[in-house]
Amino acid sequence: MKKHFLILNLLLLLVQQLFPQVNGSSPCSSELLLSLKKLNTLGSVLYIAAHPDDENTRLLAYLANEKNYRTGYLSITRGDGGQNLIGKEQGELLGLIRTQELLAARRKDGAEQFFTRANDFGYSKNPEETFEIWNKDSILADAVLTIRKFKPDVIICRFPTTGEGGHGHHTASAILALEAFDAAADPNRFPEQLKFTDVWQSKRLFWNTFNFGTTNTTSPDQLKIDVGAFNPLLGKSYGEIASESRSMHKSQGFGSARQRGSMVEYFKLLKGDSVTSDLFESISTQWDKLKGGDVIRQAITSCIASFQADDPQKSIPALVGIYKQINTLAPTTNVDAQWKELKLKQVESLLVSFSGLWLEALSSEYSSVPGQTITYSVQAVNRNSGSVKLRGFSFNGEEDTLFSMDMKGNELYSFKRKRQLPTTINYSAPYWLSQKHVAGRYTVAEMTARGRPENEPALYVTFEVTILDLPLRVQRPLVYKYTDPVKGELYRPFEILPPATINISEKLFVFADLNPKEISCTVRANTSMVKGTLEMSVPKGWKLQFEDNEFDLPAKGDEFIMTATLTPQKSTVTGVLQASLIIDQLSYNKSIERIEYDHLPSQFVLKEAEAKLLKLDLKKGNTHIAYIPGAGDEVANCLKQIGYGVTVLSDEQIKHEDLSRYSAIVTGVRAYNTNEHLQVYHALLMNYVKRGGNLIVQYNTNSRVGPLQAKIGPYPFTISRERVTNENAPVQFKNEKHPLLLYPNKISESEFKDWVQERGIYFATDLDKNYETIFAMSDPNEKSLEGSLILCKYGSGNFVYTGLAFFRELPAGVQGAYPLFVNLLSLKKNKK
């Protein structure tokens, strides 16, 4: 039963991806014909790589839509440790964004999406470090589970095991693919999975070789496939589809131009039987692999031949017959049983689409709380004139309404109902973020959930329909639909939330002295008539005073801002402030953080309501500074926390203001990559430095993602891809008496303790003789790098470029990062 449940969940995911009734869209006739053709193919292929955007979207589109194979992509991580070109989200929140971007990409190229529990902890230079942090066996188990559930005939990995892929995660993904190929077929490996699935031996494992930049791993003796074909049913070549898919990775700046014409992919066989011309050579991908399947193949072929684009419903009798034929099959193996269930679900989806049947379940509000009664409506329209009966519907599998009515052509049937939610229903937060986790991997206790790209709908309506004489059960998730005056009709997922959430104004409070700070908390009601008290706990040595800790919120959506005064004492230590709400004698301690971008469905994360408290012994110079935003970071806010007056400069202010009023100007991360006007303002900024200002430029990239064409400093240097990924790497001081290390705070090795994720990225190289280097550092067994922070005098002022990861360290409350950054802001003017 457990195995059957797992298969059904996997198939439901596939059918939802085949025809997702999302945002008011239905497949057109050419897409229906393509799906008919896919019905006649029983081959599957799984692509494996490390991150969102590592996948070969051109190949995925070709395999899914030209060869019509069931195609999947297993991304080992969710991309949590990457950079963010569209906002300030980092870590888990960025992983949530990139998960949804991958799902959007799959909707373009037609593949399915899977993940492991691995957390992208940032750049890694070798697989040994990667596996140590991930715990290799845990992630290998997840890869094996995906293979056993998906049962691919062929596996393709993007990267080699020998390191040409560069990133340690890339190499690790190939090692995992190689080992999982064998382990998935071994009943002695991860036997606990066999309660839910069974062993599986894929036939072949290939490496999809590549020619990236100066690294060419292709060769004439490798298997070659031209994937640049044009698909007339989609009106696009696979290079064009790949561009649309890859352009979904907006947070990574991966917008791509459409490519047309011949495009050859290369493959090196790593395991399995040799081939000469095709990935699936000698592997049956037709109905003849199932006993009794040949008659089904003939029926589908006939249905394809008689398909009428202007009247698809004429194919319904044939599809009903095909469904019944498939249903009579008696599979002799588990994989045959899986193909039977898969094809039945595909035909069900086709029947609904060919009928023009529109079914949806709509909540009157976008959220509710456990135990509350919700109002929802069920809508059904038979947009064609075919024979369709609506026999009833049920809510979350519980019988609701049973009847039998013939659905008239193009007539809306709508039913409004109420339903009380269970008091035990889970909140709607992403399942992999529902529990605290270690640095290398997420905690997912339920094995059947592992690998899923996102939560399954918590609430759904099952429609009982009959098409001709075939009874079907069609499931639709409960969603919220609304109209935006600019964007038109929109959908958003239905949310289950706690009765109230509490958001603390900052995730980090930094005290540079003993002066008190006001702590504000926003309490938001997610239902009506919410009243209670706010409670806060602080570590020993902190003094917390409330003005009033009671709240009373009559209406859903009401908010109330509550304040308290927090004062450090001389004996204060760093710690965590925790907040909770007492409502009806129950405690709730969740904060909510929402992610809203036009290219993604609405997302949110529930976390424990807490903030880090950091007490520093810090000296500062002039505190009037300016900040030029880049791709998005929290550095300016962190500087405000320690007493700096920070003016965020717009382009107009840079052009017209007297910049000399600022003792220092800081540019945000990737500012020169994202703001093309900065190259125009180069002379203005250099004049500011020359007149005595300090310009501190945080890291920029010099790559295809963000090609750097602007001048940055007064003298030339190159931004490289050099980095130090070990956050604990020793740091050598080139000159311990350098003013930067002495004023106004003395900098020692202790300032580099407890850094997170990395020391720095995109270091400077090819330095003009006028630049000084301050630090030297390296990852284990690598050459020492000196470009993490460079400095030069220019006129009366100073210019600094730094790849040190201040954008991570300051918001994370890393104590030593603050005095070092303050010293950069406090560099003294040069004597003439």
Side-chain angles (χ1 to χ4, degrees):
M1 285 297 294
K2 290 180 178 176
K3 291 181 182 179
H4 187 63
F5 175 76
L6 192 62
I7 289 173
L8 286 178
N9 275 290
L10 196 63
L11 298 180
L12 178 60
L13 174 65
L14 171 66
V15 172
Q16 288 171 342
Q17 290 177 326
L18 282 173
F19 294 125
Q21 188 177 287
V22 178
N23 296 334
S25 63
S26 296
C28 64
S29 287
S30 61
E31 291 170 326
L32 292 177
L33 179 55
L34 178 59
S35 295
L36 262 182
K37 292 184 173 184
K38 289 184 178 183
L39 195 59
N40 237 349
T41 303
L42 284 75
S44 56
V45 56
L46 181 66
Y47 201 86
I48 299 178
H51 309 107
D53 73 37
D54 284 345
E55 76 274 23
N56 185 335
T57 52
R58 184 169 58 216
L59 178 61
L60 292 181
Y62 172 84
L63 293 170
N65 301 289
E66 182 70 20
K67 305 300 288 185
N68 296 330
Y69 300 138
R70 185 183 179 199
T71 304
Y73 173 44
L74 172 59
S75 178
I76 302 298
T77 76
R78 295 177 184 267
D80 329 70
Q83 311 303 320
N84 185 357
L85 201 65
I86 62 173
K88 297 180 180 180
E89 296 87 359
Q90 295 292 330
E92 295 173 350
L93 295 179
L94 179 58
L96 188 55
I97 289 173
R98 298 187 72 183
T99 293
Q100 290 299 322
E101 288 179 339
L102 262 185
L103 289 171
R106 297 295 78 81
R107 288 191 287 271
K108 294 290 185 180
D109 57 39
E112 300 172 55
Q113 185 60 54
F114 306 100
F115 294 97
T116 75
R117 288 170 291 167
N119 180 25
D120 178 0
F121 56 84
Y123 192 88
S124 174
K125 292 185 177 179
N126 58 72
E128 292 78 19
E129 178 196 37
T130 298
F131 286 139
E132 182 180 352
I133 295 173
W134 280 351
N135 185 322
K136 181 182 177 183
D137 272 2
S138 296
I139 308 309
L140 176 61
D142 289 357
V144 167
L145 182 61
T146 298
I147 292 172
R148 286 173 171 173
K149 290 192 297 184
F150 189 76
K151 293 180 171 40
D153 296 306
V154 172
I155 298 174
I156 304 172
C157 56
R158 187 42 164 157
F159 301 105
T161 61
T162 47
E164 292 92 335
H167 199 314
H169 295 180
H170 293 169
T171 307
S173 72
I175 294 171
L176 290 170
L178 206 68
E179 294 188 17
F181 180 88
D182 294 325
D186 185 349
N188 296 315
R189 300 298 304 275
F190 313 111
E192 67 279 2
Q193 297 177 0
L194 301 183
K195 298 176 183 177
F196 306 94
T197 184
D198 44 27
V199 296
W200 176 250
Q201 180 62 72
S202 298
K203 309 302 188 298
R204 296 188 184 100
L205 171 64
F206 291 95
W207 166 30
N208 179 200
T209 59
F210 52 79
N211 185 359
F212 296 157
T214 59
T215 304
N216 185 3
T217 62
T218 65
S219 65
D221 62 339
Q222 294 172 358
L223 174 65
K224 295 180 281 292
I225 300 176
D226 188 343
V227 300
F230 174 76
N231 188 319
L233 294 179
L234 299 177
K236 301 166 187 174
S237 67
Y238 297 112
E240 294 172 285
I241 296 172
S243 164
E244 295 178 3
S245 174
R246 195 153 185 79
S247 295
M248 291 296 100
H249 297 293
K250 300 183 188 302
S251 67
Q252 305 307 293
F254 273 16
S256 301
R258 291 180 173 84
Q259 295 180 320
R260 302 169 181 87
S262 175
M263 298 170 193
V264 176
E265 293 291 340
Y266 292 77
F267 302 88
K268 181 177 180 179
L269 182 68
L270 301 181
K271 282 182 176 288
D273 298 334
S274 61
V275 297
T276 58
S277 60
D278 190 79
L279 296 169
F280 280 73
E281 199 168 292
S282 75
I283 299 174
S284 174
T285 61
Q286 303 300 317
W287 277 98
D288 59 9
K289 69 194 301 177
L290 272 65
K291 185 178 179 180
D294 191 59
V295 64
I296 298 172
R297 178 191 60 79
Q298 294 178 33
I300 295 172
T301 301
S302 176
C303 186
I304 292 170
S306 62
F307 175 79
Q308 295 184 29
D310 60 349
D311 197 2
Q313 66 178 332
K314 288 188 175 179
S315 297
I316 291 175
L319 282 171
V320 169
I322 291 167
Y323 182 96
K324 292 177 179 178
Q325 287 175 316
I326 296 173
N327 205 29
T328 63
L329 292 176
T332 57
T333 66
N334 287 328
V335 66
D336 288 353
Q338 181 162 310
W339 275 118
K340 175 184 175 179
E341 293 295 332
L342 169 67
K343 292 304 176 180
L344 285 174
K345 288 294 182 183
Q346 287 179 341
V347 179
E348 286 180 14
S349 183
L350 284 168
L351 281 166
V352 171
S353 296
F354 273 64
S355 300
L357 192 57
W358 181 264
L359 306 168
E360 62 183 1
L362 304 173
S363 172
S364 61
E365 298 181 282
Y366 71 81
S367 69
S368 188
V369 304
Q372 190 174 63
T373 297
I374 64 169
T375 300
Y376 68 97
S377 62
V378 170
Q379 296 186 350
V381 184
N382 177 16
R383 293 175 292 176
N384 281 324
S385 57
S387 173
V388 179
K389 286 185 178 181
L390 181 62
R391 307 193 320 274
F393 52 86
S394 59
F395 184 87
N396 267 35
E398 301 175 9
E399 293 298 335
D400 189 307
T401 303
L402 294 175
F403 47 77
S404 182
M405 67 168 61
D406 292 319
M407 296 184 68
K408 296 179 181 178
N410 215 27
E411 184 171 316
L412 174 66
Y413 295 85
S414 184
F415 309 89
K416 184 174 286 189
R417 295 289 186 272
K418 293 181 182 293
R419 175 72 65 163
Q420 184 176 10
L421 301 182
T423 57
T424 56
I425 195 168
N426 292 328
Y427 301 143
S428 302
Y431 75 89
W432 66 96
L433 299 178
S434 63
Q435 300 180 54
K436 288 191 174 182
H437 58 87
V438 296
R441 65 190 180 282
Y442 292 110
T443 300
V444 182
E446 184 185 348
M447 187 172 294
T448 55
R450 293 177 188 173
R452 291 178 190 162
E454 59 182 343
N455 291 17
E456 292 185 340
L459 301 174
Y460 58 90
V461 168
T462 302
F463 292 81
E464 307 276 352
V465 300
T466 298
I467 297 177
L468 292 185
D469 62 344
L470 182 66
L472 298 175
R473 293 169 59 87
V474 182
Q475 194 176 103
R476 291 288 183 260
L478 186 69
V479 295
Y480 176 70
K481 183 167 71 173
Y482 64 104
T483 303
D484 181 275
V486 175
K487 301 171 186 175
E489 182 181 88
L490 296 173
Y491 289 77
R492 66 182 291 167
F494 183 77
E495 301 172 359
I496 301 169
L497 302 172
T501 53
I502 176 169
N503 281 30
I504 304 172
S505 56
E506 303 287 347
K507 296 178 182 176
L508 169 71
F509 291 96
V510 186
F511 292 77
D513 49 41
L514 297 180
N515 291 324
K517 285 193 175 186
E518 184 178 271
I519 309 294
S520 67
C521 299
T522 301
V523 180
R524 179 180 174 86
N526 298 313
T527 185
S528 59
M529 305 302 293
V530 176
K531 61 171 58 179
T533 57
L534 168 65
E535 293 187 352
M536 284 188 183
S537 63
V538 294
K540 185 178 180 180
W542 296 84
K543 183 180 179 182
L544 183 69
Q545 289 182 309
F546 276 108
E547 289 186 10
D548 182 6
N549 70 335
E550 294 185 353
F551 59 88
D552 186 351
L553 302 173
K556 179 178 180 178
D558 282 355
E559 292 185 351
F560 185 65
I561 298 176
M562 309 181 74
T563 60
T565 301
L566 184 62
T567 308
Q569 311 296 306
K570 289 184 178 180
S571 60
T572 290
V573 295
T574 295
V576 176
L577 178 151
Q578 296 176 316
S580 60
L581 304 173
I582 306 301
I583 303 170
D584 294 332
Q585 298 182 324
L586 296 176
S587 179
Y588 300 91
N589 67 341
K590 296 298 183 182
S591 66
I592 188 166
E593 191 158 359
R594 293 194 174 274
I595 300 174
E596 304 284 353
Y597 290 102
D598 284 348
H599 70 295
L600 303 176
S602 179
Q603 301 290 301
F604 71 92
V605 173
L606 293 174
K607 292 186 176 182
E608 292 184 6
E610 57 185 32
K612 187 173 182 178
L613 304 177
L614 182 61
K615 171 67 175 64
L616 300 173
D617 183 12
L618 198 62
K619 302 180 181 69
K620 301 189 297 290
N622 193 318
T623 58
H624 193 198
I625 66 171
Y627 203 86
I628 300 174
D633 59 68
E634 293 288 346
V635 172
N637 191 45
C638 292
L639 297 177
K640 291 178 183 177
Q641 288 249 17
I642 57 174
Y644 279 91
V646 182
T647 300
V648 178
L649 294 178
S650 66
D651 287 351
E652 288 299 311
Q653 287 173 299
I654 297 173
K655 276 195 299 185
H656 300 300
E657 273 200 14
D658 178 10
L659 300 181
S660 64
R661 56 193 287 225
Y662 305 111
S663 61
I665 297 176
V666 182
T667 66
V669 299
R670 287 185 173 183
Y672 286 83
N673 297 125
T674 58
N675 186 346
E676 61 185 13
H677 295 111
L678 285 183
Q679 59 184 317
V680 178
Y681 304 145
H682 179 259
L684 283 171
L685 292 172
M686 292 306 102
N687 186 53
Y688 160 77
V689 176
K690 196 171 185 178
R691 294 169 59 190
N694 292 329
L695 178 62
I696 296 97
V697 176
Q698 296 184 85
Y699 92 89
N700 287 265
T701 64
N702 193 10
S703 64
R704 187 196 68 79
V705 176
L708 195 59
Q709 300 173 347
K711 292 180 180 179
I712 294 181
Y715 308 108
F717 67 93
T718 299
I719 295 176
S720 72
R721 293 186 63 81
E722 290 182 349
R723 62 186 68 204
V724 173
T725 63
N726 186 335
E727 64 270 28
N728 298 312
V731 177
Q732 299 174 344
F733 292 21
K734 299 292 295 299
N735 176 6
E736 293 183 353
K737 296 183 179 180
H738 193 284
L740 175 64
L741 304 176
L742 300 175
Y743 178 82
N745 304 284
K746 182 170 175 36
I747 305 299
S748 66
E749 292 180 3
S750 64
E751 268 63 56
F752 288 92
K753 287 180 59 178
D754 301 323
W755 280 43
V756 298
Q757 189 157 324
E758 61 214 351
R759 286 291 189 208
I761 53 180
Y762 299 104
F763 288 1
T765 57
D766 304 324
L767 308 182
D768 182 90
K769 64 180 181 180
N770 287 287
Y771 288 107
E772 298 177 83
T773 58
I774 307 300
F775 304 115
M777 60 188 72
S778 68
D779 280 316
N781 304 314
E782 293 192 0
K783 70 175 183 178
S784 183
L785 304 177
E786 298 184 357
S788 64
L789 192 152
I790 64 171
L791 181 151
C792 74
K793 298 176 181 179
Y794 186 65
S796 298
N798 302 279
F799 171 84
V800 173
Y801 172 83
T802 180
L804 291 174
F806 289 110
F807 73 103
R808 295 196 195 279
E809 314 310 320
L810 296 178
V814 175
Q815 189 162 334
Y818 280 87
L820 179 54
F821 205 93
V822 166
N823 282 17
L824 289 175
L825 300 173
S826 306
L827 287 166
K828 293 182 178 180
K829 289 185 178 182
N830 303 310
K831 296 180 180 179
K832 295 182 180 180

